[in-house]
Structure formats: structure tokens, C-alpha cells
Amino acid sequence: MTVQYKDYYETLGVARGASEADLKKAFRKLAREHHPDVAKNKKQAEEKFKEINEAYEVLGDPAKRKRYDDLGANWRSGGGQEFHFDGTGFSDFFEQLFSSRGSRGGAGFGRGGGFSGEKMGAERGQDIEGDILVTLEEAVRSSVRSVSVRHGVTCELCGGTGQRNRRPCAVCGGTRQVVRTETYQVKVPAGVTEGQRLRIAGRGEAGVGGGAAGDLYLRVRLARHPDFEVEDHNLIHQTEVAPWEAVLGTNISVPTLNGQVSIKVPPGTQNGQKLRVRGRGLPQREGGSGDLIVETRIEVPKRITEPERKLWEQLARESRFNPRE
């Protein structure tokens, strides 16, 4: 299978030297345009939304961006794995560049290796770890995803994995290898968090000599949303407020994952002030939900009419407010 190099800068429509602010601005613009909840062609929008998210997942992370920039079209020199995923929301290119295998015996996941309960010479199969893209909407309601794993070639005689085609098996010397593809229904529970691992027991690489199979771990990556940042189980939303709204107070409508909600902006609201809407964040596994935190950003008009100018000048003459005192 040939895995093509993906130009993430081209996907987001930015230059290679783009700043973090430019990347974020480009992502938000494209994500709003192609979000499945608003697009007419939902299937097409969903695929585009995944591509945009994958690009920003890499370029929006300084460590991933550096690795991507360093390897570029020579990404294969970084050592791709011999397994691929379908249905995770990420491309094979992403999986091979950023995902990893575990180790025999499950080292690194707190599982014991060795031969307990197995005959001598048996070896536990490798754990496999990949990423799964979960939208905030899925994190709210839970979902079941169909995930396929195309494993590396497997020795047909002894089940040993990781052998190259047309080469003798390093374990038994057999020369017949096959590519194994398996599909699993993976439950993504409501309330999953960034970086959480979903474990599918016994679905990793096959063991050798009667050894148990390894496990499959899918690491949750919450899809970036154009309207919200995620902080634990809270959603952070920035909203623009006019100067007179901040001074006098007002009611405004802000988005949630379940539609719009009206909130009160109290008189005297400051730039950057955080207004809390309880229970409108992401669900928590122990029950309840996080909050929606609305951060105000006071916007000053760039252009004003002559009558407006006169009103501002009158306010300047009559007001005793001095922000520098």
C-alpha cells in the first residue's frame, strides 16, 4: 500500500512560515465553512473537516510541526509502522508519522510480560497504539465507531508478525505471509477527554508460539472546534462586546453544543472578563457536566459617522473616568 505525503500547509491555505495566530485564524475560517452541522453536503463536509483538523492537529502543535517540517517529503526516513487504521478520522500518513507500536509484553502500559500461564517459548503480541479523532459533539452524546486495523504481514505458519513479504519468518523460517485486516466496533463514551486511551483487549498483534495477543489502544484527540477551546470538561468561548454593552450591560446570545443560549452581560463588564454558564460544557464520566466559560472581548468600532463622533466627544468631555488612575 502506497501512503502519500500530505501538505498540511496547503490544506489550511497558509505559508510554511505562518505564525500560530495565522494558523488558528485559517483553521477557524475553514472549520466554520466545512463543519458537518452547517454544511449542505454533510458527507463531503465531514471528510473535509477531518482533513482540516488533521492539518491543525499537526501544525498547531509545536513538537509535531517541527517533526513534520524536519522530515517533510522524506517522512518515511522517520520509520513508518507496518499497520494502518481506517475509521479513526486520521489518514495513514498521520498514523505512520505520529502513531506508535507498543512493545511485547505490553511494556509501557503497566502490564506484565513473561510467560505466566503460557508455555515456555511463547511470546505475547505487541500492543498497538493509534489516534482517534473525536468531535465535541461525539464527546457529548457518545458514539460507536467502526475502526479497521490493517496489520503488518503475518507468518501463516506460526503467526509471527512484522516480517517482510517474500522473506523467511524470523521465528520459524516459514515463507508464506499474509496481510491481516480486522474491523472492530469501538465505543467512544460520553465525557472522553483529550489524550484518554480507549483499550480494546486482545486486538493488537498476534502472539508467537501460543502467546496471548497484544491490546489495541486508541488515543483520543478531540477535534478542534471553530467556536470553542476545551479546558478539562469546560468549553471556552470568546464573544465580542461593544463598549456601550460592556458599560450598560445587555443580554447576548452565545453558542453551545446544543444550540444558542442567552446570557446576561452585567454593567461594567471588563475586557477578558469570564462569564460562567453552568452545565453547558462536556459531560463528566462521574456525572454532571462542565461549564461554558464565555470570555468577553470588547471591540472598538474602526470607523464612525460624524454624528457618532460628536457623541463620543461629548462623552469624553463629560465622563470623569480615567483608566490610567
Side-chain angles (χ1 to χ4, degrees):
M1 175 181 176
T2 301
V3 179
Q4 298 294 326
Y5 169 75
K6 298 178 78 71
D7 190 332
Y8 291 137
Y9 292 99
E10 183 178 327
T11 300
L12 293 182
V14 296
R16 289 191 167 268
S19 66
E20 289 185 20
D22 288 339
L23 287 169
K24 191 172 188 178
K25 183 178 179 181
F27 164 75
R28 283 183 166 174
K29 179 178 181 295
L30 291 170
R32 284 194 177 97
E33 181 182 345
H34 296 286
H35 196 285
D37 284 354
V38 300
K40 292 181 179 178
N41 188 330
K42 294 191 179 297
K43 182 62 178 177
Q44 188 178 53
E46 183 179 337
E47 291 305 314
K48 186 65 176 177
F49 187 71
K50 289 176 182 177
E51 291 177 13
I52 295 165
N53 251 281
E54 179 177 311
Y56 193 55
E57 170 73 20
V58 175
L59 300 184
D61 182 310
K64 283 194 177 82
R65 184 178 183 180
K66 184 177 187 306
R67 176 174 173 81
Y68 174 77
D69 287 343
D70 288 346
L71 295 176
N74 300 316
W75 65 278
R76 284 190 180 278
S77 63
Q81 289 80 40
E82 291 187 46
F83 64 91
H84 308 269
F85 292 99
D86 283 323
T88 62
F90 291 107
S91 69
D92 283 320
F93 172 76
F94 178 93
E95 292 291 356
Q96 292 206 20
L97 191 58
F98 296 105
S99 294
S100 61
R101 304 174 89 104
S103 59
R104 296 209 180 269
F109 294 104
R111 295 174 58 86
F115 307 102
S116 175
E118 302 172 358
K119 57 187 177 183
M120 293 299 292
E123 189 173 355
R124 184 182 182 276
Q126 286 182 313
D127 293 326
I128 295 175
E129 183 171 327
D131 293 273
I132 185 167
L133 185 68
V134 177
T135 66
L136 296 187
E137 289 79 7
E138 287 177 311
V140 166
R141 65 176 183 265
S142 81
S143 65
V144 176
R145 298 274 289 277
S146 180
V147 175
S148 295
V149 183
R150 286 164 282 150
H151 297 259
V153 292
T154 303
C155 176
E156 202 170 49
L157 186 61
C158 76
T161 60
Q163 313 306 318
R164 298 288 183 180
N165 283 322
R166 303 184 185 281
R167 292 186 181 180
C169 173
V171 177
C172 70
T175 58
R176 296 182 61 187
Q177 288 95 32
V178 295
V179 176
R180 182 165 52 98
T181 300
E182 295 178 336
T183 300
Y184 316 113
Q185 298 303 307
V186 178
K187 182 178 180 180
V188 180
V192 291
T193 54
E194 177 74 16
Q196 180 180 336
R197 285 186 174 94
L198 307 178
R199 175 175 173 257
I200 301 91
R203 299 304 188 182
E205 296 286 15
V208 175
D215 297 332
L216 169 62
Y217 289 85
L218 293 175
R219 189 172 45 240
V220 171
R221 293 290 182 239
L222 292 178
R224 309 295 182 99
H225 196 284
D227 294 324
F228 306 107
E229 299 287 342
V230 178
E231 187 178 276
D232 193 17
H233 288 89
N234 295 331
L235 295 176
I236 314 298
H237 173 72
Q238 281 193 340
T239 190
E240 293 76 23
V241 177
W244 48 90
E245 291 177 323
V247 173
L248 302 174
T250 188
N251 289 314
I252 61 173
S253 180
V254 295
T256 75
L257 290 173
N258 297 306
Q260 297 288 121
V261 65
S262 179
I263 67 169
K264 182 178 181 180
V265 177
T269 292
Q270 302 296 302
N271 188 56
Q273 185 170 330
K274 295 178 179 179
L275 309 175
R276 187 179 297 269
V277 185
R278 297 196 179 278
R280 290 294 188 139
L282 297 176
Q284 299 170 323
R285 280 174 287 173
E286 62 272 18
S289 294
D291 300 331
L292 171 66
I293 310 296
V294 179
E295 186 174 320
T296 60
R297 189 171 65 194
I298 298 175
E299 293 285 332
V300 175
K302 294 181 180 179
R303 293 178 295 275
I304 55 176
T305 64
E306 191 58 31
E308 286 174 328
R309 178 181 297 279
K310 291 179 179 179
L311 290 172
W312 284 109
E313 289 172 347
Q314 180 182 351
L315 177 63
R317 288 192 300 270
E318 297 184 9
S319 176
R320 296 182 180 181
F321 174 67
N322 186 341
R324 291 168 294 283
E325 287 184 348

